[in-house]
């Protein structure tokens, strides 16, 4: 989904994301999906809390999902984006760190 929407490859692939998230102590199950109407997954897995980002709800499929949650007493939690943190900033920080390290390695005088 991310690749189609933003025309970029994610830093972590779906398997790596699932492995990371499932290790969190408050996560019971991680569900990967392809359909943006997630009502069937909410019903199939008997989900009682649905966590979304602030951009969720802008498509017809998202609205169907939210409607399903409201009609089935599923708690919706909206997580705001972390201020001043983005994948681009993290990637640039790593690139700058590696660049600085390589630059400093080249300054060493080997005798």
């Amino acid at each position: 989904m991310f690749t189609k929407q933003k025309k970029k490859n994610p830093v972590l692939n779906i398997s790596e994301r699932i492995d990371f998230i499932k290790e969190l102590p408050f996560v019971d199950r991680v569900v990967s999906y392809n359909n943006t109407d997630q009502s069937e997954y909410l019903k199939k897995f008997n989900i009682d809390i649905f966590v979304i980002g602030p951009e969720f709800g802008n498509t017809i499929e998202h609205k169907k999902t939210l409607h399903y949650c409201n009609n089935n007493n599923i708690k919706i939690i909206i997580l705001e984006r972390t201020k001043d943190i983005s994948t681009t900033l993290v990637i640039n920080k790593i690139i700058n760190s590696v660049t600085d390290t390589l630059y400093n390695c080249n300054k060493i005088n080997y005798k």
Side-chain angles (χ1 to χ4, degrees):
M1 183 72 81
F2 177 84
T3 306
K4 290 179 187 175
Q5 289 177 346
K6 296 195 175 189
K7 307 286 190 257
K8 296 180 182 180
N9 289 320
V11 173
L12 299 176
N13 66 40
I14 192 65
S15 296
E16 292 167 327
R17 289 175 183 215
I18 289 171
D19 288 343
F20 178 80
I21 293 170
K22 74 180 180 185
E23 292 301 320
L24 297 171
F26 46 82
V27 173
D28 295 326
R29 176 182 290 170
V30 179
V31 178
S32 176
Y33 62 90
N34 293 321
N35 186 349
T36 54
D37 176 5
Q38 297 168 34
S39 303
E40 67 180 78
Y41 300 107
L42 295 169
K43 183 176 182 178
K44 178 179 178 180
F45 296 111
N46 196 29
I47 299 208
D48 53 356
I49 299 173
F50 186 55
V51 181
I52 57 175
E55 72 287 344
F56 193 92
N58 296 324
T59 68
I60 292 170
E61 292 83 6
H62 286 174
K63 290 180 191 327
K64 288 179 186 177
T65 302
L66 295 174
H67 182 72
Y68 179 86
C69 289
N70 290 325
N71 287 340
N72 291 278
N73 296 317
I74 297 172
K75 183 176 182 176
I76 300 169
I77 297 175
I78 300 172
L79 288 181
E80 296 298 327
R81 297 283 177 206
T82 305
K83 187 179 180 196
D84 298 328
I85 298 218
S86 73
T87 302
T88 302
L89 289 174
V90 172
I91 290 170
N92 287 337
K93 187 173 182 176
I94 292 168
I95 289 171
N96 289 337
S97 176
V98 169
T99 302
D100 289 345
T101 301
L102 290 173
Y103 176 76
N104 288 329
C105 285
N106 287 333
K107 289 178 15 179
I108 296 173
N109 188 4
Y110 296 101
K111 292 184 181 184

